[in-house]
Amino acid sequence: MRFKKAIRYIIGKLIKLAVLLLAVSILSFILVSNSPVDPIQSYIGADMTRVSPEQRQSIAEYWGLHEPPVQRFLHWGKNLLQGDMGTSLIYRSPVSSIIAERFVASLALMSLAWVLSGLFGFLLGIIAGMKEGTWIDKIIKGYCFTLASTPAFWLGLVLLILFSVWLGWLPIGLSTPAGILADEVSLLERIRHLILPVLTLSIVGVPHIALHTRQKLIEVLNSEYVRFAKAKGELGFTLLWNHGLRNISLPAISVHFASFGELFGGAVLAEQVFSYPGLGQAVVQAGLSGDVPLLLGIALCSTIFVFIGNSIADILYKAIDPRMRRGDL
Amino acid sequence: MGRITWNLRQRTLGMIIFSLLLLLGMIVTGIVIGDDKLAINPDAMNQEPSLDHLFGTDWLGRDMLARTLKGLALSFFVGLLAASSSAMIALTFTLIASWNRALDRIVTWLIDLFLSVPHLVLLLLISFAIGGGFKGVVIGLALTHWPSLTRILRAEMLQVKTAHYVHLSKQLGKTPIWIARRHILPHLLPQLFIGFLLLFPHAILHEAAISFLGFGLPAEQPSIGIILSESMRYLSTGKWWLAVFPGLSLLLMVLLFDTLGQHIRKWVDPFHGQKGV
């Protein structure tokens, strides 16, 4: 019975994903094909004057630009279903291989930052919640509100000034030092280039989870069973361990999983500031130079990424709370 | 002399007035500052912050304080346009969703669709579709900020719809439009206003981010995003003031708007205001 339910749930989720991807691809295709940015012009760049109208025509024909949008969409969709996402105009190689390569770099950045911000946020939230109303709570709350209003890219710039320009501890940009072949870069160098982007992204991710944890913990601490436990003489850490943690940790993890969208947005900015060669930098490049296939590919990929995060959050909610399970699984 | 103690309501009101005045000050000075202050001044290039130039000057000798204030005023107008259109979209969708089940489903699906693409990527796509510039940013921000507000308004609307007087109206044969206008809309207005205020900081931050990435406002506009992206070229030579102060001012403005929104919510709706963080 349970097995059947799970299967039905998974199939439902997959159908949802398929519909979502279809909608997102139509939406982004409409957006992209209406753009006044001329792909041929951005492809050729400054040499535009040297290209004759006939050559232009042949490029347009080669890319299938003369076809009506609906036909182009069907064509693109058919290739997409066969696993061919087209060829990137700026990197001159298949979109799927660029995305795969860049996604690994971004994933390293995002997963590290995700774990770190989760841990710190959770910890700060617990401290603030346990000491509700005291000056520690006020400091943590103020810190979180300030951080929530901080532009992520500006924080990156400040960290860059502090650690790279003034202190000179860390490199200024790029994920590898200049003048060395990509294969010869040592792991240590890679890590050195990863520190600042990860730091930026972690700091930006803290407030949301910290404020959420704080709120939940305060709710738990005001409950009847905690009052009873206090009456029995439980205090401080034991109280938290026995009654608090279990109730707040899983919701916090769910909320953290549901924040993949913001994580991705933050990564785009952090990668741009530190010229870290990840997916975020690629999407900015693609947008600036009118690289439509890459732009569409990354839009779809990031949608899947967010969907996975939301689905995990959803499943966790159901696993924690029987009331939600009864509802609609 | 006894210490003056204020109750929570007075303190909330005090914070509202305080942040409102500061914001007004920032925006008005930004508008008043003439273009002559932004003029290129070869005698004062790359100066560190001093009493003459509190925020320093850039590589063309322009006063960074004047540029920053101009940029903040610009951010405010972009935010105002975007947040108000977003709020309007949210209200329209909520009222549409109040019509019947099927329309409600469609609206919910649209919300989910827009929330499923990372916000920044969607902004980037829309801005790309429109071709960047002022129009691109405003339309992009307006089209991406409504989902969260629509969710809040829809929840409120569903609550109102279950009320007895709404049922009574329905049984008396009132049309859905009449119910939407007379019963639902008045209940949504306070939420809409607060939602609009709380959209502001988001819109301003996203405007700066998208301009920073190069999709937003054109480079000749003194927007904070542009100032910061220009400053990146000069950071490695130690010109820290080009980035630190403009960003800090933006942070202050966003923080003030957030405080204003939160406190007004607390003030109009004490029950929810004190429960929320």
Side-chain angles (χ1 to χ4, degrees):
Chain A
M1 196 59 204
R2 265 186 106 175
F3 185 66
K4 245 186 184 168
K5 260 189 177 175
I7 296 256
R8 208 190 296 160
Y9 178 76
I10 291 170
I11 291 176
K13 274 274 165 200
L14 285 178
I15 293 174
K16 249 189 193 161
L17 177 64
V19 174
L20 177 70
L21 283 180
L22 184 69
V24 170
S25 50
I26 293 175
L27 183 75
S28 35
F29 197 86
I30 293 172
L31 284 175
V32 166
S33 53
N34 278 326
S35 172
V37 179
D38 182 4
I40 299 173
Q41 180 146 13
S42 53
Y43 177 72
I44 297 160
D47 296 333
M48 201 62 203
T49 45
R50 277 193 263 154
V51 177
S52 66
E54 291 82 50
Q55 279 170 309
R56 257 190 87 114
Q57 195 66 35
S58 68
I59 295 176
E61 229 157 84
Y62 179 67
W63 283 344
L65 287 176
H66 56 287
E67 289 171 21
V70 178
Q71 201 144 19
R72 262 188 292 158
F73 177 73
L74 291 177
H75 192 68
W76 176 71
K78 208 178 90 193
N79 284 340
L80 189 68
L81 287 177
Q82 290 163 353
D84 175 17
M85 302 174 91
T87 309
S88 158
L89 308 184
I90 40 175
Y91 297 101
R92 322 258 149 127
S93 51
V95 169
S96 46
S97 71
I98 295 170
I99 289 181
E101 181 192 312
R102 299 228 158 202
F103 190 63
V104 174
S106 282
L107 203 62
L109 172 68
M110 288 193 286
S111 52
L112 266 174
W114 187 77
V115 171
L116 282 176
S117 62
L119 285 178
F120 275 104
F122 192 58
L123 216 64
L124 283 179
I126 287 180
I127 296 172
M130 288 300 278
K131 307 265 178 197
E132 193 205 346
T134 61
W135 58 270
I136 298 185
D137 179 34
K138 279 184 186 144
I139 289 178
I140 292 178
K141 240 170 63 183
Y143 172 76
C144 286
F145 279 130
T146 314
L147 265 189
S149 315
T150 308
F153 55 98
W154 176 72
L155 186 72
L157 287 177
V158 171
L159 290 176
L160 194 75
I161 295 172
L162 197 64
F163 288 106
S164 301
V165 180
W166 283 358
L167 296 171
W169 290 351
L170 294 165
I172 283 184
L174 306 170
S175 82
T176 54
I180 301 179
L181 282 177
D183 319 337
E184 293 168 12
V185 184
S186 65
L187 191 64
L188 193 73
E189 271 302 323
R190 276 179 203 272
I191 292 173
R192 264 166 57 86
H193 282 84
L194 200 59
I195 294 175
L196 279 184
V198 166
L199 194 63
T200 311
L201 210 48
S202 315
I203 295 177
V204 173
V206 161
H208 187 56
I209 191 80
L211 289 175
H212 177 266
T213 307
R214 175 182 173 277
Q215 193 61 27
K216 274 270 174 234
L217 186 60
I218 289 172
E219 263 169 44
V220 167
L221 289 180
N222 284 327
S223 66
E224 303 250 315
Y225 58 86
V226 167
R227 198 173 305 149
F228 181 63
K230 275 184 186 159
K232 282 197 305 180
E234 283 187 51
L235 270 175
F237 188 70
T238 1
L239 182 75
L240 175 74
W241 186 259
N242 286 341
H243 303 286
L245 270 190
R246 209 175 296 181
N247 282 314
I248 56 170
S249 55
L250 279 175
I253 295 173
S254 297
V255 165
H256 208 37
F257 268 112
S259 70
F260 272 18
E262 285 145 59
L263 183 69
F264 194 89
V268 172
L269 292 167
E271 284 173 11
Q272 189 67 15
V273 171
F274 297 103
S275 23
Y276 183 86
L279 217 49
Q281 203 204 19
V283 76
V284 173
Q285 285 304 322
L288 287 179
S289 46
D291 188 347
V292 171
L294 189 58
L295 203 57
L296 288 174
I298 295 178
L300 284 182
C301 270
S302 59
T303 307
I304 298 176
F305 181 67
V306 173
F307 184 82
I308 291 174
N310 285 340
S311 300
I312 296 175
D314 194 36
I315 292 169
L316 277 176
Y317 267 126
K318 292 206 158 101
I320 312 159
D321 196 337
R323 282 168 300 181
M324 297 201 63
R325 199 159 43 211
R326 227 182 304 140
D328 57 353
L329 187 117
Chain B
M1 224 167 75
R3 238 180 96 206
I4 305 165
T5 44
W6 286 8
N7 64 28
L8 186 63
R9 201 175 167 77
Q10 286 165 328
R11 263 181 303 172
T12 309
L13 204 57
M15 275 306 276
I16 293 174
I17 294 170
F18 172 73
S19 35
L20 208 59
L21 283 180
L22 258 178
L23 277 174
L24 266 178
M26 278 167 122
I27 295 158
V28 169
T29 30
I31 299 169
V32 168
I33 285 177
D35 284 336
D36 56 311
K37 287 272 183 194
L38 297 173
I40 296 168
N41 181 4
D43 298 333
M45 284 196 299
N46 296 324
Q47 281 185 3
E48 287 199 26
S50 62
L51 281 179
D52 282 343
H53 303 281
L54 282 175
F55 285 11
T57 59
D58 65 1
W59 61 99
L60 291 173
R62 289 174 294 187
D63 183 45
M64 287 308 285
L65 178 62
R67 288 190 82 201
T68 303
L69 283 169
K70 258 291 186 248
L72 288 180
L74 190 68
S75 285
F76 169 75
F77 283 116
V78 172
L80 185 70
L81 270 173
S84 46
S85 8
S86 251
M88 279 302 120
I89 295 174
L91 182 66
T92 316
F93 271 136
T94 311
L95 292 179
I96 289 175
S98 79
W99 195 273
N100 61 30
R101 261 261 167 79
L103 284 173
D104 184 46
R105 282 247 175 90
I106 294 175
V107 169
T108 323
W109 186 77
L110 272 176
I111 297 175
D112 287 342
L113 174 68
F114 270 78
L115 287 178
S116 66
V117 186
H119 196 145
L120 206 65
V121 174
L122 193 58
L123 255 178
L124 214 142
L125 277 175
I126 295 176
S127 176
F128 178 74
I130 294 163
F134 185 79
K135 211 172 82 187
V137 180
V138 173
I139 294 178
L141 291 172
L143 287 182
T144 52
H145 281 83
W146 59 269
S148 49
L149 181 59
T150 313
R151 264 195 183 163
I152 298 170
L153 291 180
R154 182 180 158 268
E156 189 87 6
M157 177 273 287
L158 289 178
Q159 217 177 350
V160 175
K161 260 186 98 174
T162 56
H164 285 301
Y165 58 86
V166 177
H167 281 295
L168 194 64
S169 284
K170 230 183 249 168
Q171 274 161 2
L172 289 174
K174 302 290 186 200
T175 58
I177 292 184
W178 196 91
I179 291 174
R181 211 164 60 92
R182 296 296 174 95
H183 289 328
I184 298 176
L185 192 62
H187 278 275
L188 294 182
L189 286 180
Q191 289 281 2
L192 182 73
F193 179 65
I194 294 162
F196 160 72
L197 271 180
L198 289 175
L199 278 183
F200 237 101
H202 279 269
I204 292 174
L205 275 183
H206 278 121
E207 181 269 314
I210 203 88
S211 298
F212 175 76
L213 292 177
F215 292 91
L217 301 173
E220 65 275 6
Q221 297 268 17
S223 109
I224 302 289
I226 298 287
I227 292 177
L228 289 179
S229 84
E230 278 174 350
S231 79
M232 272 182 71
R233 271 177 277 152
Y234 299 88
L235 285 188
S236 52
T237 49
K239 298 189 180 57
W240 53 273
W241 61 90
L242 291 181
V244 172
F245 293 127
L248 209 58
S249 318
L250 182 68
L251 198 166
L252 187 68
M253 183 166 174
V254 171
L255 196 61
L256 281 173
F257 262 117
D258 206 38
T259 321
L260 186 68
Q262 306 265 10
H263 281 85
I264 288 185
R265 179 166 65 182
K266 221 189 219 175
W267 189 53
V268 240
D269 186 2
F271 179 68
H272 284 113
Q274 289 185 33
K275 263 177 78 184
V277 263

PDB file of all heavy atoms in Angstrom, chain A residues 279-300:
ATOM      1  N   LEU A 279      28.270  28.192 -13.973  1.00  0.00           N
ATOM      2  CA  LEU A 279      27.072  28.335 -14.782  1.00  0.00           C
ATOM      3  C   LEU A 279      26.558  29.773 -14.777  1.00  0.00           C
ATOM      4  O   LEU A 279      26.065  30.281 -15.780  1.00  0.00           O
ATOM      5  CB  LEU A 279      25.998  27.407 -14.200  1.00  0.00           C
ATOM      6  CG  LEU A 279      25.076  26.696 -15.155  1.00  0.00           C
ATOM      7  CD1 LEU A 279      25.846  26.037 -16.253  1.00  0.00           C
ATOM      8  CD2 LEU A 279      24.264  25.678 -14.396  1.00  0.00           C
ATOM      9  N   GLY A 280      26.690  30.428 -13.622  1.00  0.00           N
ATOM     10  CA  GLY A 280      26.188  31.788 -13.492  1.00  0.00           C
ATOM     11  C   GLY A 280      26.913  32.742 -14.411  1.00  0.00           C
ATOM     12  O   GLY A 280      26.310  33.592 -15.072  1.00  0.00           O
ATOM     13  N   GLN A 281      28.222  32.602 -14.467  1.00  0.00           N
ATOM     14  CA  GLN A 281      28.992  33.468 -15.350  1.00  0.00           C
ATOM     15  C   GLN A 281      28.625  33.190 -16.807  1.00  0.00           C
ATOM     16  O   GLN A 281      28.527  34.107 -17.622  1.00  0.00           O
ATOM     17  CB  GLN A 281      30.482  33.217 -15.116  1.00  0.00           C
ATOM     18  CG  GLN A 281      31.329  34.381 -15.528  1.00  0.00           C
ATOM     19  CD  GLN A 281      32.727  33.952 -15.854  1.00  0.00           C
ATOM     20  OE1 GLN A 281      32.998  32.776 -16.107  1.00  0.00           O
ATOM     21  NE2 GLN A 281      33.638  34.887 -15.837  1.00  0.00           N
ATOM     22  N   ALA A 282      28.400  31.889 -17.102  1.00  0.00           N
ATOM     23  CA  ALA A 282      28.042  31.523 -18.475  1.00  0.00           C
ATOM     24  C   ALA A 282      26.712  32.149 -18.869  1.00  0.00           C
ATOM     25  O   ALA A 282      26.564  32.631 -19.990  1.00  0.00           O
ATOM     26  CB  ALA A 282      27.980  30.004 -18.609  1.00  0.00           C
ATOM     27  N   VAL A 283      25.754  32.163 -17.948  1.00  0.00           N
ATOM     28  CA  VAL A 283      24.441  32.688 -18.319  1.00  0.00           C
ATOM     29  C   VAL A 283      24.530  34.200 -18.554  1.00  0.00           C
ATOM     30  O   VAL A 283      23.894  34.740 -19.462  1.00  0.00           O
ATOM     31  CB  VAL A 283      23.362  32.313 -17.273  1.00  0.00           C
ATOM     32  CG1 VAL A 283      23.432  33.119 -16.018  1.00  0.00           C
ATOM     33  CG2 VAL A 283      21.973  32.476 -17.866  1.00  0.00           C
ATOM     34  N   VAL A 284      25.357  34.878 -17.786  1.00  0.00           N
ATOM     35  CA  VAL A 284      25.530  36.319 -17.991  1.00  0.00           C
ATOM     36  C   VAL A 284      26.192  36.575 -19.343  1.00  0.00           C
ATOM     37  O   VAL A 284      25.739  37.413 -20.130  1.00  0.00           O
ATOM     38  CB  VAL A 284      26.364  36.930 -16.852  1.00  0.00           C
ATOM     39  CG1 VAL A 284      26.685  38.376 -17.159  1.00  0.00           C
ATOM     40  CG2 VAL A 284      25.615  36.838 -15.540  1.00  0.00           C
ATOM     41  N   GLN A 285      27.234  35.818 -19.629  1.00  0.00           N
ATOM     42  CA  GLN A 285      27.910  35.955 -20.920  1.00  0.00           C
ATOM     43  C   GLN A 285      26.941  35.689 -22.070  1.00  0.00           C
ATOM     44  O   GLN A 285      26.914  36.416 -23.063  1.00  0.00           O
ATOM     45  CB  GLN A 285      29.080  34.955 -21.010  1.00  0.00           C
ATOM     46  CG  GLN A 285      30.290  35.341 -20.195  1.00  0.00           C
ATOM     47  CD  GLN A 285      30.796  36.711 -20.575  1.00  0.00           C
ATOM     48  OE1 GLN A 285      30.790  37.073 -21.739  1.00  0.00           O
ATOM     49  NE2 GLN A 285      31.190  37.489 -19.584  1.00  0.00           N
ATOM     50  N   ALA A 286      26.160  34.605 -21.906  1.00  0.00           N
ATOM     51  CA  ALA A 286      25.221  34.222 -22.957  1.00  0.00           C
ATOM     52  C   ALA A 286      24.209  35.336 -23.201  1.00  0.00           C
ATOM     53  O   ALA A 286      23.897  35.665 -24.343  1.00  0.00           O
ATOM     54  CB  ALA A 286      24.503  32.933 -22.577  1.00  0.00           C
ATOM     55  N   GLY A 287      23.719  35.925 -22.100  1.00  0.00           N
ATOM     56  CA  GLY A 287      22.731  36.989 -22.242  1.00  0.00           C
ATOM     57  C   GLY A 287      23.322  38.224 -22.879  1.00  0.00           C
ATOM     58  O   GLY A 287      22.711  38.856 -23.728  1.00  0.00           O
ATOM     59  N   LEU A 288      24.543  38.567 -22.494  1.00  0.00           N
ATOM     60  CA  LEU A 288      25.155  39.796 -23.004  1.00  0.00           C
ATOM     61  C   LEU A 288      25.504  39.680 -24.468  1.00  0.00           C
ATOM     62  O   LEU A 288      25.485  40.655 -25.201  1.00  0.00           O
ATOM     63  CB  LEU A 288      26.405  40.143 -22.185  1.00  0.00           C
ATOM     64  CG  LEU A 288      26.161  40.680 -20.779  1.00  0.00           C
ATOM     65  CD1 LEU A 288      27.474  40.958 -20.091  1.00  0.00           C
ATOM     66  CD2 LEU A 288      25.318  41.937 -20.828  1.00  0.00           C
ATOM     67  N   SER A 289      25.862  38.459 -24.906  1.00  0.00           N
ATOM     68  CA  SER A 289      26.286  38.346 -26.294  1.00  0.00           C
ATOM     69  C   SER A 289      25.248  37.636 -27.161  1.00  0.00           C
ATOM     70  O   SER A 289      25.556  37.216 -28.266  1.00  0.00           O
ATOM     71  CB  SER A 289      27.629  37.637 -26.366  1.00  0.00           C
ATOM     72  OG  SER A 289      27.609  36.503 -25.554  1.00  0.00           O
ATOM     73  N   GLY A 290      24.032  37.506 -26.648  1.00  0.00           N
ATOM     74  CA  GLY A 290      22.959  36.972 -27.474  1.00  0.00           C
ATOM     75  C   GLY A 290      23.129  35.512 -27.867  1.00  0.00           C
ATOM     76  O   GLY A 290      22.731  35.105 -28.946  1.00  0.00           O
ATOM     77  N   ASP A 291      23.712  34.725 -26.976  1.00  0.00           N
ATOM     78  CA  ASP A 291      23.904  33.308 -27.250  1.00  0.00           C
ATOM     79  C   ASP A 291      22.639  32.549 -26.836  1.00  0.00           C
ATOM     80  O   ASP A 291      22.537  32.021 -25.731  1.00  0.00           O
ATOM     81  CB  ASP A 291      25.123  32.811 -26.467  1.00  0.00           C
ATOM     82  CG  ASP A 291      25.498  31.404 -26.836  1.00  0.00           C
ATOM     83  OD1 ASP A 291      24.687  30.727 -27.497  1.00  0.00           O
ATOM     84  OD2 ASP A 291      26.602  30.980 -26.477  1.00  0.00           O
ATOM     85  N   VAL A 292      21.671  32.489 -27.764  1.00  0.00           N
ATOM     86  CA  VAL A 292      20.355  31.966 -27.418  1.00  0.00           C
ATOM     87  C   VAL A 292      20.360  30.498 -26.978  1.00  0.00           C
ATOM     88  O   VAL A 292      19.760  30.172 -25.950  1.00  0.00           O
ATOM     89  CB  VAL A 292      19.370  32.205 -28.592  1.00  0.00           C
ATOM     90  CG1 VAL A 292      18.062  31.492 -28.349  1.00  0.00           C
ATOM     91  CG2 VAL A 292      19.135  33.692 -28.752  1.00  0.00           C
ATOM     92  N   PRO A 293      21.024  29.592 -27.700  1.00  0.00           N
ATOM     93  CA  PRO A 293      20.970  28.183 -27.257  1.00  0.00           C
ATOM     94  C   PRO A 293      21.488  27.987 -25.835  1.00  0.00           C
ATOM     95  O   PRO A 293      20.877  27.279 -25.044  1.00  0.00           O
ATOM     96  CB  PRO A 293      21.880  27.471 -28.267  1.00  0.00           C
ATOM     97  CG  PRO A 293      21.920  28.345 -29.442  1.00  0.00           C
ATOM     98  CD  PRO A 293      21.769  29.739 -28.944  1.00  0.00           C
ATOM     99  N   LEU A 294      22.579  28.668 -25.503  1.00  0.00           N
ATOM    100  CA  LEU A 294      23.135  28.506 -24.172  1.00  0.00           C
ATOM    101  C   LEU A 294      22.191  29.083 -23.122  1.00  0.00           C
ATOM    102  O   LEU A 294      21.968  28.497 -22.061  1.00  0.00           O
ATOM    103  CB  LEU A 294      24.502  29.198 -24.100  1.00  0.00           C
ATOM    104  CG  LEU A 294      25.311  28.949 -22.839  1.00  0.00           C
ATOM    105  CD1 LEU A 294      25.567  27.485 -22.638  1.00  0.00           C
ATOM    106  CD2 LEU A 294      26.627  29.699 -22.878  1.00  0.00           C
ATOM    107  N   LEU A 295      21.612  30.232 -23.434  1.00  0.00           N
ATOM    108  CA  LEU A 295      20.690  30.887 -22.510  1.00  0.00           C
ATOM    109  C   LEU A 295      19.509  29.969 -22.202  1.00  0.00           C
ATOM    110  O   LEU A 295      19.142  29.770 -21.040  1.00  0.00           O
ATOM    111  CB  LEU A 295      20.202  32.186 -23.156  1.00  0.00           C
ATOM    112  CG  LEU A 295      19.686  33.287 -22.258  1.00  0.00           C
ATOM    113  CD1 LEU A 295      20.727  33.672 -21.246  1.00  0.00           C
ATOM    114  CD2 LEU A 295      19.288  34.489 -23.079  1.00  0.00           C
ATOM    115  N   LEU A 296      18.932  29.398 -23.251  1.00  0.00           N
ATOM    116  CA  LEU A 296      17.791  28.502 -23.058  1.00  0.00           C
ATOM    117  C   LEU A 296      18.197  27.270 -22.266  1.00  0.00           C
ATOM    118  O   LEU A 296      17.488  26.836 -21.360  1.00  0.00           O
ATOM    119  CB  LEU A 296      17.229  28.077 -24.418  1.00  0.00           C
ATOM    120  CG  LEU A 296      16.473  29.149 -25.182  1.00  0.00           C
ATOM    121  CD1 LEU A 296      16.107  28.642 -26.563  1.00  0.00           C
ATOM    122  CD2 LEU A 296      15.229  29.556 -24.438  1.00  0.00           C
ATOM    123  N   GLY A 297      19.372  26.728 -22.609  1.00  0.00           N
ATOM    124  CA  GLY A 297      19.842  25.523 -21.921  1.00  0.00           C
ATOM    125  C   GLY A 297      20.001  25.781 -20.431  1.00  0.00           C
ATOM    126  O   GLY A 297      19.558  24.985 -19.596  1.00  0.00           O
ATOM    127  N   ILE A 298      20.610  26.908 -20.088  1.00  0.00           N
ATOM    128  CA  ILE A 298      20.841  27.182 -18.671  1.00  0.00           C
ATOM    129  C   ILE A 298      19.526  27.476 -17.955  1.00  0.00           C
ATOM    130  O   ILE A 298      19.326  27.054 -16.817  1.00  0.00           O
ATOM    131  CB  ILE A 298      21.849  28.334 -18.507  1.00  0.00           C
ATOM    132  CG1 ILE A 298      23.202  27.893 -19.051  1.00  0.00           C
ATOM    133  CG2 ILE A 298      21.992  28.706 -17.043  1.00  0.00           C
ATOM    134  CD1 ILE A 298      24.262  28.949 -18.986  1.00  0.00           C
ATOM    135  N   ALA A 299      18.601  28.167 -18.648  1.00  0.00           N
ATOM    136  CA  ALA A 299      17.303  28.433 -18.016  1.00  0.00           C
ATOM    137  C   ALA A 299      16.626  27.117 -17.647  1.00  0.00           C
ATOM    138  O   ALA A 299      16.118  26.958 -16.533  1.00  0.00           O
ATOM    139  CB  ALA A 299      16.419  29.249 -18.949  1.00  0.00           C
ATOM    140  N   LEU A 300      16.658  26.161 -18.571  1.00  0.00           N
ATOM    141  CA  LEU A 300      16.024  24.868 -18.287  1.00  0.00           C
ATOM    142  C   LEU A 300      16.741  24.138 -17.158  1.00  0.00           C
ATOM    143  O   LEU A 300      16.111  23.587 -16.251  1.00  0.00           O
ATOM    144  CB  LEU A 300      16.014  23.990 -19.547  1.00  0.00           C
ATOM    145  CG  LEU A 300      14.977  24.362 -20.583  1.00  0.00           C
ATOM    146  CD1 LEU A 300      15.041  23.404 -21.753  1.00  0.00           C
ATOM    147  CD2 LEU A 300      13.588  24.328 -19.967  1.00  0.00           C
TER     148      LEU A 300
END
